[in-house]
Amino acid sequence: MSDNALHDSFFALHHGLPRQGPGSDATTRRLLALAGTLPERPRVLDLGCGPGRSALLLAAEAGAEVTAVDTHEPFLAELRESAAARGLDGSVRTVRADMGALPFPDGSFDLVWAESSVFVLGFDRALAEWRRLLAPGGTLVLTECVWTTEEPGPTARGFWEEHYPLRTVAGNAAAAVEAGYHVLGTVPQPESDWDEYYVPLAAHADAADTSVPGMAEAVEGARAEIALRRAHGSEYGYAGFALRPADPRWALRTETAADAEAIRRVVSTAFGSEGEPSATEADLVEALRRDAAAWLPGLSIVAEAPDGTVAAHALITRCRVGAAPAAALAPVSVAPAHQRTGAGQAVVRAALDAARLRGEPLVLVLGHPEYYPRFGFVRASEYGIKPGFDVPDEAMMALVLDDSVPVPAGTLVYPAAFGV
């Protein structure tokens, strides 16, 4: 049997499926929400689009101009037909191309999208090569197969090590940060996303003509994959990642002992002025640094300006919601000379990345309700969390970093240094 016969049978088996990997419209919408505010007519690149379920949703619901890329022309033809039937043919353009050799200029897209297709290149290579395609402030959204346990069994591990080595969500998040991205959020995909792919695929396998050269092998491979999922689905799954390149103007890092005086200067002038610095918040940072129960190593972050000075600082320390540990973002400070330049956003995103990689599931902030939602914060009261003092409901906000950990409800208790 030739490789061409197996290739042709694989695509014949998959032709007409609504999806070419685990997913759902609900997951696409959740990932789109993580991407944040988009231009009125965002330019979207959908890589490995298959028959275009995501491309159609992005065009219809985000008002996007979608460039949909795949190597398999029948998928692209199916997408063009579906787009025309929905009156979206003016919003969806198909391009037959290799996602590893894309013919687009740098900065061409506001959103690069890849559901169930990044495995073709591999997670790390995709992050390195697709970054150039993003316009300033653009977002990369992709889904990837991941381990959902730290200790997968030998059967699942053996299968995936042979076909495509996996990491955990935390492992991929760490790789993204190392590659120069901020993690805007992650979405664990539900079992129903697998059903949307595997139920139709199993029906195709049952109806396939296995006398066609290569089809028996294609069917056997599909059934083996489905059987593995049924037997070992608790060990691996799919997850979505929304990533944004870090602002290159700021060098972001954990504080060192040598930064203490510079941090004090930034905090005191941020909450006061150059002429009249405020000691209150600067004293708070130093008190938290001395409190071993509150201090979380690695979560005091500075942003350096191009001249090497500290431009901004963000601190996350231990708090509690009832009896459950959580993390509090406060204070966030930007030197007066660097305010309204993006330094604050950069240092907050870096602090949240560090908290995520440290394994903190929940971050709380008391802050401006028009500023912090851009990072994904919502009213803490939505989770049944309230502070032990009076503040406007919209000012007390929460950000869930790990959906696999139940969010505690109860009264928020800050470290003693806060005096509340």
Side-chain angles (χ1 to χ4, degrees), residues 302-353:
V302 298
E304 284 186 354
D307 64 2
T309 60
V310 175
H313 172 254
L315 179 61
I316 294 178
T317 53
R318 175 66 68 224
C319 66
R320 295 196 170 272
V321 176
L329 172 62
V332 174
S333 314
V334 181
H338 296 289
Q339 290 175 3
R340 296 179 176 82
T341 64
Q345 288 193 54
V347 79
V348 169
R349 291 206 183 279
L352 295 175
D353 285 337

Side-chain angles (χ1 to χ4, degrees), residues 336-411:
H338 296 289
Q339 290 175 3
R340 296 179 176 82
T341 64
Q345 288 193 54
V347 79
V348 169
R349 291 206 183 279
L352 295 175
D353 285 337
R356 186 187 300 275
L357 299 188
R358 195 180 185 278
E360 296 294 333
L362 176 67
V363 178
L364 296 136
V365 67
L366 175 60
H368 201 295
E370 293 183 6
Y371 182 74
Y372 285 97
R374 72 190 64 190
F375 305 103
F377 283 93
V378 299
R379 295 185 187 212
S381 59
E382 293 183 16
Y383 298 106
I385 300 171
K386 293 194 174 182
F389 50 92
D390 289 335
V391 295
D393 184 62
E394 65 272 16
M396 190 75 250
M397 290 168 276
L399 174 64
V400 174
L401 298 179
D402 186 350
D403 284 318
S404 70
V405 178
V407 179
T411 300

Side-chain angles (χ1 to χ4, degrees), residues 104-185:
F104 308 112
D106 293 357
S108 295
F109 300 98
D110 304 301
L111 185 60
V112 173
W113 197 274
E115 285 195 56
S116 304
S117 62
V118 73
F119 70 90
V120 174
L121 295 190
F123 190 87
D124 296 343
R125 181 183 168 191
L127 266 57
E129 295 188 6
W130 295 348
R131 178 176 181 151
R132 71 169 186 83
L133 299 166
L134 290 168
T139 302
L140 170 61
V141 172
L142 51 84
T143 65
E144 172 76 317
C145 199
V146 295
W147 292 122
T148 54
T149 176
E150 295 294 337
E151 296 294 335
T155 301
R157 182 177 291 280
F159 176 88
W160 286 110
E161 285 183 350
E162 177 184 352
H163 291 87
Y164 184 72
L166 305 185
R167 289 189 291 230
T168 61
V169 169
N172 279 336
V177 171
E178 180 66 23
Y181 289 82
H182 293 305
V183 181
L184 306 186

